[in-house]
Amino acid sequence: MSKMPGATWRPTPVNFTRGGQSSVRGVVLHIMAGTLAGTDSWFKNPAAEASSHFGTGKSGALYQWVSTADKAWAQAGGNPNWLSIENEGQGGDALTNAQLDRCAEVLAWAHKTHGVLLQVTSDPNGRGLGHHAMGGSAWGGHTACPGTRIVAQKAEIVARAKALVNGKPTPPKPTTPPKPTQNWTEILVNALPTLTKGCEKNAALKHDIKTAFKLLDARGFPVPEGVDDQTFGEPMAIQVRALQKFKGLKADAVIGKDTWEALH
């Protein structure tokens, strides 16, 4: 078993393949689109069918859910050859200074333990520190994960990892990352209306209700069969609140910007 010293061991009993890590090309950065506590709970739910080797909290917590001898279910086709780090936050966030340190510690440990190169890569066939979106459709098509601000911080993580390996002090906190341009998810979400119970009385919103209805199902919060998919009633509201609670959002059954982002 390959457990990283300093990481809090939070083993998941499900959602991974024992002994499935055939080799290690590098480490992949992800964004949770939620909280560390929520993700910790979700990875232990068989319905999730997802996991990660490591996870960071904004305040500096570092969890390990899966041994690096085993295959986590994090990036589809990239799972057999890449380790994974889920980071607390939402799409569009940058990593905090504490998260940068934790990611650097994981990368430095992976370098010493698995021979991972201390370099940035955006090639799924490359080696080093990558990010989820670089794998394209073969890695699940998550083109907005972990977001442009975190991708821009990869070089800083590598620099901090090199300092750790060489026994040098951690470099100072970097300057504020550049303001990102909107990604496709942000553009889409900003154009969507706010939905509430009974809003189907406005016929123009029925298509958006149907979209939310289907996204709830895709995210594992299906509305019971037989419910009209263009009606925002209590059955749909129950599932919206469940999604919001899981994502650490206000559970008010109102589908606004944050809930649309969670659905997408």
Side-chain angles (χ1 to χ4, degrees):
M1 178 177 290
S2 296
K3 293 194 289 186
M4 176 182 163
T8 300
W9 180 235
R10 300 279 298 177
T12 175
V14 292
N15 302 324
F16 73 98
T17 304
R18 195 172 301 279
Q21 199 72 37
S22 59
S23 64
V24 179
R25 302 190 70 87
V27 177
V28 177
L29 298 175
H30 296 253
I31 190 74
M32 290 179 186
T35 65
L36 181 62
T39 300
D40 180 57
S41 176
W42 183 234
F43 283 168
K44 294 170 183 175
N45 184 337
E49 297 185 347
S51 63
S52 176
H53 290 100
F54 299 96
T56 73
K58 283 182 175 290
S59 61
L62 176 62
Y63 285 3
Q64 184 173 0
W65 290 293
V66 178
S67 164
T68 58
D70 299 327
K71 181 172 69 176
W73 298 352
Q75 55 264 330
N79 289 335
N81 306 109
W82 294 83
L83 305 181
S84 45
I85 308 177
E86 283 282 358
N87 294 283
E88 183 176 45
Q90 299 291 335
D93 286 355
L95 296 180
T96 65
N97 191 52
Q99 285 178 304
L100 290 171
D101 280 342
R102 299 296 87 73
C103 288
E105 289 165 7
V106 172
L107 182 60
W109 178 80
H111 170 74
K112 295 176 182 178
T113 307
H114 297 288
V116 172
L117 298 182
L118 298 181
Q119 64 184 25
V120 170
T121 184
S122 293
D123 180 0
N125 296 311
R127 295 181 182 276
L129 180 65
H131 61 282
H132 194 182
M134 75 183 193
S137 59
W139 284 19
H142 294 269
T143 56
C145 182
T148 55
R149 299 181 76 187
I150 294 176
V151 172
Q153 292 176 301
K154 287 165 62 179
E156 175 62 24
I157 294 170
V158 169
R160 294 189 185 203
K162 287 180 177 179
L164 291 170
V165 169
N166 294 329
K168 297 179 180 179
T170 301
K173 182 178 180 179
T175 56
T176 302
K179 185 177 180 180
T181 56
Q182 287 189 325
N183 59 40
W184 69 269
T185 309
E186 292 169 325
I187 294 171
L188 175 62
V189 166
N190 287 337
L192 290 169
T194 297
L195 303 179
T196 59
K197 283 178 64 177
C199 66
E200 69 276 359
K201 294 174 184 177
N202 181 349
L205 296 178
K206 288 190 174 183
H207 175 75
D208 297 295
I209 294 171
K210 186 172 184 177
T211 298
F213 198 102
K214 292 186 179 298
L215 287 171
L216 282 167
D217 183 70
R219 295 292 170 263
F221 298 88
V223 181
E225 291 185 10
V227 175
D228 182 2
D229 63 6
Q230 295 185 49
T231 298
F232 195 158
E234 184 59 21
M236 184 171 174
I238 290 171
Q239 295 301 78
V240 172
R241 291 189 197 100
L243 170 76
Q244 291 170 328
K245 287 180 182 178
F246 170 69
K247 291 294 186 179
L249 303 174
K250 181 179 180 181
D252 57 6
V254 175
I255 304 178
K257 182 176 183 295
D258 289 344
T259 303
W260 275 121
E261 287 181 351
L263 285 168
H264 282 88

